[in-house]
Each structure stands twice: as C-alpha cells, then as structure tokens.
Amino acid sequence: MEIDVFTGINGIPDEAINNKTVIVIDVLRATTTITVALAAGCLEVIPVLTPEEAIEMRARLGDERVLLGGERNALKIPGFDLGNSPREYTPEIVAGKRLIITTTNGTRAIRRAAGGHQVFLGAMVNAPSVATAAAWGEEDITIICSGTKDRFSLEDFLAAGFIVDRLTALNGFTLRDGARAARDYYLYRRDDPAAALKESYHGRLLEELGLGEDVDFCSRVGTFDVVPVYGGGIIKKIG
Amino acid sequence: MEIDVFTGINGIPDEAINNKTVIVIDVLRATTTITVALAAGCLEVIPVLTPEEAIEMRARLGDERVLLGGERNALKIPGFDLGNSPREYTPEIVAGKRLIITTTNGTRAIRRAAGGHQVFLGAMVNAPSVATAAAWGEEDITIICSGTKDRFSLEDFLAAGFIVDRLTALNGFTLRDGARAARDYYLYRRDDPAAALKESYHGRLLEELGLGEDVDFCSRVGTFDVVPVYGGGIIKKIG
C-alpha cells in the first residue's frame, strides 16, 4: 500500500484516483467548512462547480430545507444564504438542512476525485479522524491538495503532511515522493501550524479581508471528529 | 518581485511563465547531464520530445559533430550515442560536439518553459550559480520541477528549495506558497541532500538499475558553475 500527495488538481493520472482511497484537502476553507457544517447537523452537502449550477439545483430540488453557500474571491455570492466561513455554519443555521456549496478550488477538487473507491474530505480540524478512516481501508491512498487557482497551497500541503505522518504511524505504507515531502514539511512546521497558515497566500488574503479569525479556526488540529465522505454527487458524514 | 515553485508541468498558468525568469529543474538527470555536457565543452544542446524527432533532426542538420543522447525508462535509447548519465558526458566524448537530447520528463519541462523571458536549467550541481544568474534579472522567478511521469519529484523540490533559499539571501523576493514550502523542505533536509535523493522514487529506481553512482553525482551541490540557458530551441552556456 502506498500514499502519494498531489499539490494541485491538474494532470493527476487517472491511475492515482481510480480504485484508490482519495482524500481531498482545501483547508482554507471548503473542506473545513463542510466538516463544520456536517458536525453542526447539516444533513448533506452537494458540491457544484458554479453559482448558476447551485441556483438551478435549488430550484430543481424544490426543498425548503436547502441552503446555498460558498464564495467567489473569498466573499459570499450575491443571493446565497451563506459564505465560505466555517464560523457561519452553526447548528442554529444548518441543523436539519441540506447545503449546496460552490467554491473556487475545493469543489473542483472534490469533483476530480469522483473516481475514487472512497473519497474523504480532510482539513486540519478533522485530520486525525480522516487519517484513521483512511487507514481502515487498507488500500493505496491519494491525497489531493486543492491549491489556489492552479498554484500550490501551503495550508493544504501542511494538512496533507499531518495525515501522511499519522498514516505511517497507523499502518505500513510506502511513501511516494509527494507524500515524503509533505510529511517532512509538516514535521518542520508542526510546532506552530497556525503560523504556517498565516504566512500562506490564502491566509494573508483572508486576513486582509478581515477574516483572520477564519485562519485561526482552520488551523486547529483535530477539533472535530467528523469525516465527510463523497459519493454519488453528495457529501455526508461517514457511518 | 516574487518567486513561485511548481511541482510539475501540468496546469502551470501562462502568466507564471510569460515574461518571467524561469528555472527548469530535473535533477535526475536531464538538467544535471546538460550542465555537465556544457561544462565538458559541448557547444550546444537541442532538447527534443521524442527519439524519432532526435533522429530526424540529426539527419536534417547533416553535421558529423552531432551526438544523440537521452533515455526512456532511465536507459539509453537504441541507436543513440549516449544515455542520460552525466558521467558519460566527458570532455573526451562531448567537447566540440552538438548534442540532441530527449528524456522522459526534463525535455518536456524545458519546452513548456519556452515563453519565459529567460529560461535557465538548474540542478543540485549548479544550483548556486543558477540562483546568482536568476537574481541578476531582477524580475519574478518561476521554478518548474519536471516531476516524474506526472508525479511529484523529491529531488527537484529539494533543488528548488535550495535555489529559493539562496535567492532570498541575494535579493528581496516575496515568496509564494510553492516557494515557501520548497525552501522549508530544503532547510529540513539540507544536512544530507544525498540521503533525500536516495530515498526518492527516481533515486531508488536508478539504484536498482545499477546507476546509484549517478544519484551521488547528481546530489552534490555546486560542483559546476555552468548555467545552461534555453532560447530559440537551443541550450547554451550563459554568457
């Protein structure tokens, strides 16, 4: 069994996804927000690629429990109920609801992973639980960092490194090069993951937009034990 | 001025290449071998994508000084004069010659970089000189790791990290996320780069093929001060 990490969604070979356990990471903020929403009692999350697709799907579902969430340029989309800040997704707002979400990078990565045997969503906030769930599968694991507009994302690589480090402690995996580098990067920065997130491109952007509290929130390791799993176009809690 | 690092050639935005200083890295072994060939007195190197293209170009050039070099699956191509081991490229063999080369990953990456304002070829063996040459340009720098068959290459990321670390000491660059992670990875492994290369996927493959000495050769930092520069389809020594 082997683990590899991809630092973006472009050019991932199909052989790295098909029949593998795939973990999709978008720490700032899609996979964090989806984890928090499910932890808060949201029934399911439907990731879509565009705001138009989200609005059409809400009309098609004709279910008053549906909420629209997501961002473009890190900000709430006009006409949507919620943005992409995990702090908005409280039990008062999302419990018992269905969420349609579209984000710039995360939802594209989730859709790319669709051929995986199992597809989990990982972030810093649920990284320990995701590692445990992935190790149970006893098959090759591919970790996809969503990246930011076709560039490398520090925060996704850090979370990938945490998960690789945890997986190697749980089970006897062979590490391919991307997994080795992510693990070493995590080991170099593990004393202060929040500092790494704050110096990331996306972290600095959120800080400038007055969303610095989101960066702190997203950098905490293991604050939720929810593992979102994607299948048939829908994300639910595992189990 | 900013620096970014891409861990493979797929999906690099054109804006990261056009009008930038681009450094292409394929430590094992294309950019090491090209550096060594030019240091040994080879007049110029022409990178091509396929063995067929190499053979056609030799016929078209009609120059008895032309040598064919390169690899497929790490081994010399039938009918070629040389493989892809830098240790083959001695002054006795390549001085005064023109080299047509095709490799699995490196030559694709060099061709992808063609839109750059300046395109340098970097490896561990010439990393300090490449950093110095790139810093002189006083423009944004994009470092492209060639990768291995669409996957991450540890050795390229390590060399990229060395160059980023050196560049930040030479000049006031802003680091994008890929550059930060590469630098941190290098800082974590800098006491023994040879060990990092030996644990890489490509390093282990070469070891299995009896080419372990190539891995040692390619891991030595700064043993050559040659900076290969690519333009108009041809690679020459800078200056």
Coordinates of all heavy atoms in Angstrom, one line a residue, chain A residues 2 4-8 10-13 15-16 20 142 148-155 157 174-185 187-189 199-202 204, chain B residues 2 4-8 10-13 15-16 20 142 148-155 157 174-185 187-189 199-202 204:
Chain A
E2 N 0.5 2.2 -0.8 CA 1.3 3.4 -0.9 C 0.5 4.7 -0.7 O -0.8 4.6 -0.9 CB 2.1 3.4 -2.2 CG 1.3 3.5 -3.5 CD 2.1 3.6 -4.7 OE1 3.2 3.0 -4.7 OE2 1.7 4.2 -5.7
D4 N 0.4 8.8 -2.0 CA 1.0 9.9 -2.7 C 0.2 11.2 -2.5 O -0.9 11.1 -2.1 CB 1.1 9.6 -4.2 CG 2.3 10.4 -4.9 OD1 2.9 11.2 -4.2 OD2 2.5 10.2 -6.1
V5 N 0.9 12.3 -2.6 CA 0.3 13.6 -2.5 C 0.4 14.4 -3.8 O 1.5 14.4 -4.3 CB 0.9 14.4 -1.3 CG1 0.4 15.8 -1.2 CG2 0.6 13.7 0.0
F6 N -0.7 15.0 -4.3 CA -0.6 15.9 -5.4 C -0.9 17.3 -4.9 O -1.8 17.5 -4.2 CB -1.6 15.4 -6.5 CG -1.3 14.1 -7.1 CD1 -1.7 12.9 -6.5 CD2 -0.6 14.1 -8.3 CE1 -1.3 11.7 -7.1 CE2 -0.2 12.9 -8.9 CZ -0.6 11.7 -8.3
T7 N -0.1 18.2 -5.4 CA -0.2 19.6 -4.9 C -1.2 20.5 -5.7 O -1.3 21.7 -5.5 CB 1.2 20.3 -5.0 OG1 1.6 20.4 -6.3 CG2 2.2 19.5 -4.2
G8 N -1.9 19.9 -6.6 CA -2.9 20.6 -7.4 C -3.7 19.5 -8.1 O -3.4 18.4 -8.2
N10 N -4.5 19.6 -11.5 CA -4.2 19.4 -12.9 C -3.2 18.3 -13.2 O -2.2 18.1 -12.5 CB -3.5 20.7 -13.4 CG -4.5 21.9 -13.4 OD1 -5.6 21.8 -13.9 ND2 -4.1 23.0 -12.8
G11 N -3.6 17.4 -14.1 CA -2.7 16.4 -14.6 C -2.5 15.2 -13.7 O -1.6 14.4 -13.9
I12 N -3.4 15.1 -12.7 CA -3.3 13.9 -11.9 C -3.7 12.7 -12.7 O -4.7 12.6 -13.4 CB -4.3 13.9 -10.7 CG1 -4.0 15.1 -9.8 CG2 -4.2 12.6 -9.8 CD1 -5.0 15.3 -8.7
P13 N -2.8 11.6 -12.8 CA -3.1 10.5 -13.6 C -4.4 9.7 -13.1 O -4.5 9.6 -11.8 CB -1.9 9.6 -13.5 CG -0.9 10.3 -12.7 CD -1.5 11.5 -12.1
E15 N -4.9 6.7 -12.9 CA -4.5 5.6 -12.1 C -4.3 5.9 -10.6 O -4.2 5.0 -9.8 CB -3.2 4.9 -12.7 CG -2.1 5.9 -12.7 CD -0.7 5.3 -13.0 OE1 -0.7 4.4 -13.9 OE2 0.3 5.8 -12.5
A16 N -4.1 7.2 -10.4 CA -3.9 7.6 -9.0 C -5.2 7.8 -8.2 O -5.2 8.0 -7.0 CB -3.0 8.9 -8.9
K20 N -8.8 3.9 -5.7 CA -7.9 4.3 -4.5 C -8.8 4.9 -3.4 O -10.0 5.4 -3.7 CB -6.9 5.4 -4.9 CG -6.1 5.0 -6.1 CD -5.0 3.9 -5.8 CE -4.1 3.8 -7.1 NZ -3.3 2.6 -6.9
T142 N -4.4 8.4 -2.1 CA -4.0 9.5 -2.9 C -4.6 10.8 -2.2 O -5.8 10.8 -2.0 CB -4.5 9.5 -4.3 OG1 -3.9 8.4 -5.0 CG2 -4.2 10.7 -5.1
T148 N -4.6 26.9 -5.0 CA -5.3 28.1 -5.1 C -5.1 28.6 -6.6 O -4.0 29.0 -7.0 CB -4.7 29.2 -4.2 OG1 -4.8 28.7 -2.8 CG2 -5.5 30.5 -4.3
K149 N -6.2 28.5 -7.3 CA -6.2 29.0 -8.7 C -4.9 28.4 -9.5 O -4.1 29.2 -10.0 CB -6.2 30.5 -8.8 CG -7.6 31.0 -8.3 CD -7.7 32.5 -8.5 CE -9.1 33.0 -8.0 NZ -9.2 34.5 -7.9
D150 N -4.8 27.1 -9.5 CA -3.7 26.5 -10.2 C -2.3 26.7 -9.6 O -1.3 26.3 -10.2 CB -3.7 26.8 -11.7 CG -5.0 26.4 -12.4 OD1 -5.5 25.3 -12.0 OD2 -5.4 27.1 -13.3
R151 N -2.2 27.2 -8.4 CA -0.9 27.3 -7.7 C -1.0 26.5 -6.4 O -2.0 26.1 -5.9 CB -0.6 28.7 -7.4 CG -0.3 29.5 -8.7 CD 0.2 30.9 -8.3 NE 0.3 31.8 -9.4 CZ 1.4 32.2 -10.0 NH1 2.6 31.9 -9.4 NH2 1.4 33.0 -11.0
F152 N 0.2 26.2 -5.9 CA 0.5 25.5 -4.7 C -0.2 26.2 -3.5 O -0.1 27.4 -3.4 CB 2.0 25.5 -4.5 CG 2.5 24.5 -3.5 CD1 3.1 23.4 -3.9 CD2 2.5 24.9 -2.2 CE1 3.7 22.5 -2.9 CE2 3.0 24.0 -1.2 CZ 3.6 22.9 -1.6
S153 N -0.8 25.4 -2.6 CA -1.3 26.0 -1.3 C -0.6 25.4 -0.1 O -0.6 24.2 0.1 CB -2.8 25.7 -1.1 OG -3.6 26.6 -1.9
L154 N 0.1 26.3 0.6 CA 0.9 25.9 1.8 C 0.0 25.1 2.8 O 0.4 24.1 3.3 CB 1.4 27.2 2.4 CG 2.7 27.2 3.1 CD1 3.8 26.7 2.3 CD2 3.0 28.6 3.6
E155 N -1.2 25.6 3.0 CA -2.0 25.1 4.1 C -2.5 23.7 3.7 O -2.6 22.8 4.6 CB -3.2 26.0 4.4 CG -4.2 26.2 3.3 CD -3.9 27.2 2.2 OE1 -2.7 27.7 2.2 OE2 -4.7 27.6 1.4
F157 N -0.9 21.5 1.8 CA 0.3 20.7 1.9 C 0.6 20.3 3.3 O 1.0 19.2 3.7 CB 1.5 21.4 1.2 CG 2.6 20.6 0.8 CD1 2.5 19.5 -0.1 CD2 3.9 20.8 1.3 CE1 3.5 18.8 -0.5 CE2 5.0 20.0 0.8 CZ 4.8 19.0 -0.1
T174 N 4.0 2.6 2.1 CA 5.1 3.1 1.3 C 4.8 4.5 0.9 O 3.7 4.8 0.4 CB 5.3 2.2 0.0 OG1 5.5 0.9 0.4 CG2 6.6 2.7 -0.8
L175 N 5.8 5.4 1.0 CA 5.5 6.8 0.7 C 6.1 7.1 -0.7 O 7.3 6.9 -0.9 CB 6.1 7.7 1.7 CG 5.6 7.6 3.2 CD1 6.2 8.7 4.0 CD2 4.1 7.5 3.2
R176 N 5.3 7.6 -1.6 CA 5.8 8.2 -2.8 C 6.4 9.6 -2.5 O 6.2 10.1 -1.4 CB 4.8 8.2 -3.9 CG 4.4 6.7 -4.3 CD 3.7 6.7 -5.6 NE 4.4 7.1 -6.7 CZ 4.6 6.4 -7.9 NH1 4.1 5.2 -8.0 NH2 5.3 6.9 -8.9
D177 N 7.0 10.2 -3.5 CA 7.8 11.4 -3.2 C 6.9 12.6 -2.7 O 7.3 13.3 -1.8 CB 8.5 11.9 -4.5 CG 9.7 11.1 -4.9 OD1 9.9 10.0 -4.3 OD2 10.5 11.5 -5.7
G178 N 5.7 12.7 -3.3 CA 4.9 13.8 -2.8 C 4.5 13.6 -1.3 O 4.5 14.6 -0.6
A179 N 4.3 12.4 -0.9 CA 3.9 12.1 0.5 C 5.1 12.4 1.4 O 5.0 12.9 2.5 CB 3.4 10.7 0.6
R180 N 6.3 12.0 0.9 CA 7.5 12.2 1.7 C 7.8 13.7 2.0 O 8.1 14.1 3.1 CB 8.8 11.7 1.0 CG 8.9 10.2 1.1 CD 10.1 9.7 0.3 NE 10.0 8.2 0.2 CZ 10.5 7.4 1.1 NH1 11.1 7.8 2.2 NH2 10.3 6.1 0.9
A181 N 7.7 14.5 0.9 CA 7.9 15.9 1.0 C 6.9 16.6 1.9 O 7.2 17.4 2.7 CB 8.0 16.6 -0.4
A182 N 5.6 16.2 1.8 CA 4.6 16.8 2.6 C 4.8 16.5 4.1 O 4.7 17.3 4.9 CB 3.2 16.3 2.1
R183 N 5.1 15.2 4.3 CA 5.4 14.8 5.7 C 6.6 15.6 6.3 O 6.5 16.1 7.4 CB 5.7 13.3 5.8 CG 5.9 12.8 7.2 CD 6.7 11.5 7.2 NE 8.0 11.6 6.4 CZ 8.8 10.7 6.1 NH1 8.5 9.4 6.5 NH2 9.9 10.9 5.4
D184 N 7.7 15.7 5.5 CA 8.8 16.5 6.0 C 8.5 17.9 6.3 O 8.9 18.5 7.2 CB 10.0 16.3 5.1 CG 10.7 15.0 5.2 OD1 10.3 14.2 6.0 OD2 11.7 14.7 4.4
Y185 N 7.7 18.5 5.4 CA 7.3 19.9 5.5 C 6.5 20.0 6.8 O 6.7 20.9 7.6 CB 6.5 20.4 4.3 CG 5.9 21.7 4.5 CD1 6.7 22.8 4.6 CD2 4.5 21.9 4.7 CE1 6.2 24.1 4.9 CE2 4.0 23.2 4.9 CZ 4.8 24.2 5.0 OH 4.3 25.5 5.3
L187 N 6.6 18.1 9.4 CA 7.5 17.9 10.6 C 8.3 19.1 10.9 O 8.5 19.5 12.1 CB 8.4 16.7 10.4 CG 7.7 15.3 10.3 CD1 8.7 14.2 9.9 CD2 7.0 15.0 11.7
Y188 N 8.6 19.9 9.8 CA 9.4 21.1 10.0 C 8.6 22.2 10.7 O 9.1 23.1 11.4 CB 9.9 21.6 8.7 CG 10.9 22.7 8.7 CD1 12.2 22.5 9.3 CD2 10.6 24.0 8.2 CE1 13.1 23.6 9.3 CE2 11.5 25.0 8.3 CZ 12.8 24.8 8.8 OH 13.6 25.9 8.9
R189 N 7.2 22.2 10.4 CA 6.4 23.3 10.8 C 5.4 22.9 11.9 O 4.5 23.7 12.3 CB 5.6 23.9 9.6 CG 6.4 24.4 8.5 CD 7.4 25.5 9.0 NE 6.7 26.6 9.6 CZ 6.4 27.8 9.0 NH1 6.8 28.0 7.7 NH2 5.8 28.8 9.6
E199 N 1.1 32.7 7.1 CA 2.0 33.2 6.1 C 1.7 32.7 4.7 O 2.3 33.1 3.7 CB 3.5 32.8 6.4 CG 3.9 31.4 6.2 CD 5.3 31.1 6.7 OE1 5.7 31.6 7.7 OE2 5.9 30.3 6.0
S200 N 0.7 31.8 4.6 CA 0.2 31.4 3.3 C -0.4 32.5 2.5 O -0.9 33.4 3.1 CB -0.7 30.2 3.4 OG -2.0 30.6 3.8
Y201 N -0.4 32.3 1.2 CA -1.0 33.3 0.3 C -2.5 33.5 0.7 O -3.0 34.6 0.8 CB -0.9 32.9 -1.2 CG -1.6 33.7 -2.1 CD1 -1.1 34.9 -2.7 CD2 -2.9 33.4 -2.6 CE1 -1.7 35.7 -3.6 CE2 -3.6 34.2 -3.5 CZ -3.0 35.3 -4.0 OH -3.7 36.1 -4.9
H202 N -3.2 32.4 0.8 CA -4.6 32.5 1.1 C -4.9 33.0 2.5 O -5.8 33.7 2.8 CB -5.2 31.1 0.9 CG -6.7 31.1 0.5 ND1 -7.1 30.4 -0.6 CD2 -7.7 31.8 1.0 CE1 -8.4 30.6 -0.7 NE2 -8.8 31.5 0.3
R204 N -3.0 35.2 4.1 CA -2.8 36.6 4.1 C -4.0 37.3 3.4 O -4.4 38.4 3.9 CB -1.5 37.0 3.4 CG -0.3 36.6 4.4 CD 1.0 36.8 3.7 NE 1.3 35.8 2.7 CZ 1.8 36.0 1.5 NH1 2.2 37.2 1.1 NH2 2.0 35.0 0.6
Chain B
E2 N 8.6 38.3 -7.1 CA 8.2 37.2 -6.4 C 8.8 35.9 -7.0 O 9.2 35.9 -8.1 CB 6.7 37.1 -6.3 CG 6.0 36.9 -7.6 CD 4.4 36.8 -7.4 OE1 3.9 37.4 -6.5 OE2 3.8 36.1 -8.2
D4 N 7.8 31.7 -7.3 CA 6.9 30.6 -7.1 C 7.6 29.3 -7.6 O 8.4 29.3 -8.5 CB 5.5 30.8 -7.7 CG 4.4 30.0 -7.0 OD1 4.8 29.2 -6.0 OD2 3.3 30.1 -7.3
V5 N 7.1 28.2 -7.0 CA 7.6 26.9 -7.5 C 6.4 26.0 -7.9 O 5.4 26.0 -7.1 CB 8.4 26.2 -6.3 CG1 8.7 24.7 -6.6 CG2 9.7 26.9 -6.0
F6 N 6.5 25.4 -9.0 CA 5.5 24.4 -9.5 C 6.1 23.0 -9.4 O 7.2 22.8 -9.8 CB 5.1 24.7 -10.9 CG 4.3 26.0 -11.0 CD1 4.9 27.3 -11.1 CD2 2.9 26.0 -10.8 CE1 4.2 28.4 -11.1 CE2 2.2 27.2 -10.9 CZ 2.8 28.4 -11.0
T7 N 5.3 22.1 -8.9 CA 5.9 20.7 -8.6 C 5.7 19.8 -9.8 O 6.0 18.6 -9.7 CB 5.2 20.1 -7.4 OG1 3.8 20.0 -7.6 CG2 5.4 21.0 -6.2
G8 N 5.2 20.3 -10.9 CA 5.0 19.5 -12.2 C 4.7 20.5 -13.3 O 4.5 21.7 -13.0
N10 N 2.1 20.2 -15.4 CA 0.7 20.3 -15.9 C 0.0 21.5 -15.2 O 0.0 21.7 -14.0 CB -0.1 19.0 -15.5 CG 0.4 17.8 -16.2 OD1 0.5 17.9 -17.4 ND2 0.9 16.8 -15.5
G11 N -0.8 22.2 -16.0 CA -1.6 23.3 -15.5 C -0.9 24.5 -15.0 O -1.5 25.3 -14.3
I12 N 0.4 24.7 -15.3 CA 1.0 26.0 -14.9 C 0.4 27.1 -15.7 O 0.3 27.0 -17.0 CB 2.5 25.9 -15.3 CG1 3.2 24.8 -14.5 CG2 3.2 27.2 -14.9 CD1 4.7 24.6 -14.9
P13 N -0.1 28.1 -15.1 CA -0.7 29.2 -15.8 C 0.3 30.0 -16.7 O 1.4 30.1 -16.3 CB -1.3 30.2 -14.7 CG -1.0 29.6 -13.4 CD -0.1 28.4 -13.6
E15 N 0.6 33.0 -17.2 CA 1.1 34.2 -16.6 C 2.2 33.9 -15.7 O 3.0 34.8 -15.3 CB -0.1 34.8 -15.7 CG -0.6 33.9 -14.7 CD -1.6 34.5 -13.7 OE1 -2.3 35.3 -14.1 OE2 -1.5 34.1 -12.5
A16 N 2.5 32.6 -15.3 CA 3.6 32.3 -14.4 C 4.9 32.1 -15.3 O 6.0 32.0 -14.7 CB 3.3 31.1 -13.6
K20 N 8.7 36.0 -17.5 CA 9.3 35.7 -16.2 C 10.7 35.1 -16.4 O 11.0 34.7 -17.5 CB 8.5 34.7 -15.4 CG 7.1 35.0 -15.2 CD 6.8 36.1 -14.2 CE 5.3 36.3 -14.0 NZ 5.0 37.5 -13.3
T142 N 10.0 32.0 -11.7 CA 9.2 30.8 -11.7 C 10.1 29.5 -11.8 O 10.8 29.4 -12.7 CB 8.1 30.7 -12.8 OG1 7.2 31.8 -12.6 CG2 7.3 29.4 -12.8
T148 N 8.1 13.4 -12.2 CA 8.4 12.0 -12.8 C 7.0 11.5 -13.3 O 6.2 11.1 -12.5 CB 9.0 11.1 -11.8 OG1 10.2 11.6 -11.3 CG2 9.3 9.7 -12.4
K149 N 6.8 11.5 -14.6 CA 5.6 10.9 -15.2 C 4.4 11.5 -14.4 O 3.6 10.7 -13.9 CB 5.6 9.4 -15.2 CG 6.7 8.9 -16.1 CD 6.7 7.4 -16.2 CE 7.7 6.9 -17.2 NZ 7.9 5.4 -17.1
D150 N 4.2 12.8 -14.4 CA 3.1 13.5 -13.8 C 3.0 13.3 -12.3 O 1.9 13.7 -11.7 CB 1.8 13.0 -14.5 CG 1.7 13.4 -15.9 OD1 2.3 14.4 -16.3 OD2 1.1 12.6 -16.7
R151 N 4.0 12.9 -11.6 CA 4.0 12.9 -10.2 C 5.2 13.8 -9.7 O 6.1 14.1 -10.4 CB 4.2 11.5 -9.6 CG 2.9 10.6 -9.9 CD 3.1 9.3 -9.2 NE 2.1 8.3 -9.6 CZ 1.1 7.9 -8.8 NH1 1.0 8.3 -7.6 NH2 0.2 7.0 -9.2
F152 N 5.0 14.1 -8.4 CA 6.0 14.9 -7.6 C 7.4 14.2 -7.6 O 7.5 13.0 -7.4 CB 5.4 15.0 -6.2 CG 6.0 16.0 -5.3 CD1 5.4 17.1 -5.0 CD2 7.3 15.7 -4.7 CE1 6.0 18.0 -4.1 CE2 7.8 16.6 -3.9 CZ 7.2 17.8 -3.5
S153 N 8.4 15.0 -7.8 CA 9.8 14.5 -7.6 C 10.5 15.2 -6.4 O 10.7 16.4 -6.4 CB 10.6 14.8 -8.8 OG 10.4 13.8 -9.8
L154 N 10.8 14.4 -5.4 CA 11.5 14.9 -4.3 C 12.8 15.7 -4.6 O 13.0 16.8 -4.0 CB 11.9 13.7 -3.4 CG 11.9 13.7 -1.9 CD1 10.6 14.2 -1.4 CD2 12.2 12.4 -1.4
E155 N 13.6 15.1 -5.5 CA 14.9 15.7 -5.8 C 14.8 17.1 -6.5 O 15.6 18.0 -6.2 CB 15.7 14.7 -6.6 CG 15.2 14.5 -8.1 CD 14.1 13.4 -8.1 OE1 13.6 13.0 -7.1 OE2 13.8 13.0 -9.3
F157 N 12.2 19.2 -6.0 CA 11.7 20.1 -5.0 C 12.8 20.5 -4.0 O 12.9 21.7 -3.6 CB 10.6 19.3 -4.2 CG 9.6 20.2 -3.4 CD1 8.9 21.2 -4.1 CD2 9.5 20.0 -2.1 CE1 8.0 21.9 -3.4 CE2 8.6 20.8 -1.4 CZ 7.8 21.8 -2.0
T174 N 9.5 38.3 -2.7 CA 8.3 37.8 -2.0 C 8.2 36.3 -2.4 O 8.3 36.0 -3.6 CB 7.1 38.5 -2.4 OG1 7.3 39.9 -2.2 CG2 5.8 38.1 -1.7
L175 N 7.9 35.4 -1.4 CA 7.7 34.0 -1.7 C 6.3 33.6 -1.8 O 5.5 33.9 -0.9 CB 8.4 33.2 -0.7 CG 9.9 33.4 -0.4 CD1 10.5 32.3 0.5 CD2 10.7 33.4 -1.7
R176 N 5.9 33.0 -2.9 CA 4.5 32.4 -3.0 C 4.6 31.1 -2.3 O 5.7 30.6 -1.9 CB 4.1 32.4 -4.4 CG 3.8 33.8 -5.0 CD 3.0 33.8 -6.3 NE 1.7 33.3 -6.1 CZ 0.6 33.9 -6.5 NH1 0.7 35.1 -7.1 NH2 -0.6 33.4 -6.3
D177 N 3.4 30.5 -2.1 CA 3.4 29.3 -1.3 C 4.3 28.1 -1.7 O 4.9 27.5 -0.9 CB 1.9 28.7 -1.2 CG 1.0 29.6 -0.3 OD1 1.5 30.7 0.0 OD2 -0.1 29.1 0.0
G178 N 4.4 27.9 -3.0 CA 5.2 26.8 -3.5 C 6.7 27.0 -3.2 O 7.4 26.1 -2.8
A179 N 7.1 28.3 -3.2 CA 8.5 28.6 -2.9 C 8.7 28.5 -1.4 O 9.8 28.0 -1.0 CB 8.8 30.1 -3.4
R180 N 7.8 28.9 -0.6 CA 7.9 28.7 0.9 C 8.1 27.3 1.3 O 8.9 26.9 2.1 CB 6.7 29.3 1.6 CG 6.7 30.8 1.6 CD 5.4 31.3 2.3 NE 5.3 32.7 2.1 CZ 5.8 33.7 2.9 NH1 6.5 33.3 3.9 NH2 5.7 34.9 2.6
A181 N 7.2 26.4 0.7 CA 7.2 25.0 1.1 C 8.5 24.4 0.6 O 9.1 23.6 1.4 CB 6.0 24.3 0.5
A182 N 9.0 24.7 -0.6 CA 10.2 24.1 -1.1 C 11.4 24.6 -0.2 O 12.3 23.7 0.1 CB 10.4 24.5 -2.6
R183 N 11.4 25.8 0.1 CA 12.5 26.3 1.0 C 12.5 25.6 2.3 O 13.6 25.1 2.8 CB 12.4 27.8 1.2 CG 13.5 28.4 2.0 CD 13.1 29.7 2.6 NE 11.9 29.6 3.4 CZ 11.2 30.6 3.9 NH1 11.6 31.8 3.7 NH2 10.1 30.4 4.6
D184 N 11.3 25.5 2.9 CA 11.3 24.8 4.2 C 11.7 23.3 4.1 O 12.3 22.8 5.0 CB 9.9 24.9 4.8 CG 9.6 26.3 5.4 OD1 10.5 27.2 5.4 OD2 8.5 26.5 5.9
Y185 N 11.3 22.7 3.0 CA 11.7 21.3 2.8 C 13.2 21.2 2.7 O 13.8 20.3 3.3 CB 11.0 20.7 1.6 CG 11.5 19.4 1.2 CD1 11.2 18.3 2.1 CD2 12.3 19.1 0.1 CE1 11.7 17.0 1.8 CE2 12.7 17.9 -0.2 CZ 12.5 16.8 0.7 OH 13.0 15.6 0.4
L187 N 15.4 23.3 3.9 CA 16.0 23.6 5.2 C 15.9 22.4 6.2 O 16.8 22.1 6.9 CB 15.3 24.8 5.9 CG 15.6 26.1 5.2 CD1 14.7 27.3 5.8 CD2 17.0 26.5 5.2
Y188 N 14.8 21.6 6.0 CA 14.7 20.4 6.9 C 15.7 19.3 6.5 O 16.1 18.5 7.3 CB 13.2 19.9 6.7 CG 12.9 18.8 7.7 CD1 12.8 19.0 9.1 CD2 12.6 17.5 7.2 CE1 12.4 18.0 9.9 CE2 12.3 16.5 8.1 CZ 12.2 16.8 9.5 OH 11.8 15.8 10.3
R189 N 16.0 19.3 5.2 CA 16.9 18.2 4.7 C 18.3 18.6 4.3 O 19.0 17.8 3.7 CB 16.2 17.5 3.5 CG 14.8 16.9 3.7 CD 14.8 15.9 4.8 NE 15.7 14.8 4.6 CZ 15.4 13.6 4.1 NH1 14.1 13.4 3.8 NH2 16.2 12.6 3.9
E199 N 16.4 8.4 -1.2 CA 15.0 7.9 -0.8 C 14.0 8.3 -1.8 O 12.8 7.8 -1.7 CB 14.6 8.3 0.6 CG 14.2 9.8 0.8 CD 14.0 10.1 2.2 OE1 14.7 9.7 3.1 OE2 13.0 10.9 2.5
S200 N 14.3 9.1 -2.8 CA 13.3 9.5 -3.8 C 13.0 8.3 -4.7 O 13.8 7.4 -4.8 CB 13.9 10.6 -4.7 OG 14.8 10.2 -5.5
Y201 N 11.8 8.4 -5.3 CA 11.4 7.3 -6.2 C 12.4 7.1 -7.3 O 12.8 5.9 -7.6 CB 10.0 7.7 -6.8 CG 9.5 6.7 -7.8 CD1 8.8 5.6 -7.5 CD2 9.7 7.0 -9.2 CE1 8.4 4.7 -8.4 CE2 9.3 6.1 -10.1 CZ 8.6 5.0 -9.8 OH 8.2 4.1 -10.7
H202 N 12.8 8.2 -7.9 CA 13.7 8.1 -9.1 C 15.1 7.6 -8.6 O 15.8 6.8 -9.3 CB 13.8 9.4 -9.8 CG 14.1 9.3 -11.2 ND1 13.3 9.9 -12.2 CD2 15.1 8.7 -11.9 CE1 13.8 9.7 -13.4 NE2 14.9 8.9 -13.2
R204 N 15.7 5.6 -6.1 CA 15.7 4.2 -5.8 C 15.6 3.4 -7.1 O 16.3 2.3 -7.3 CB 14.5 3.8 -4.9 CG 14.7 4.3 -3.5 CD 13.5 4.0 -2.6 NE 12.5 5.0 -2.9 CZ 11.2 4.8 -2.9 NH1 10.7 3.6 -2.8 NH2 10.3 5.8 -3.2

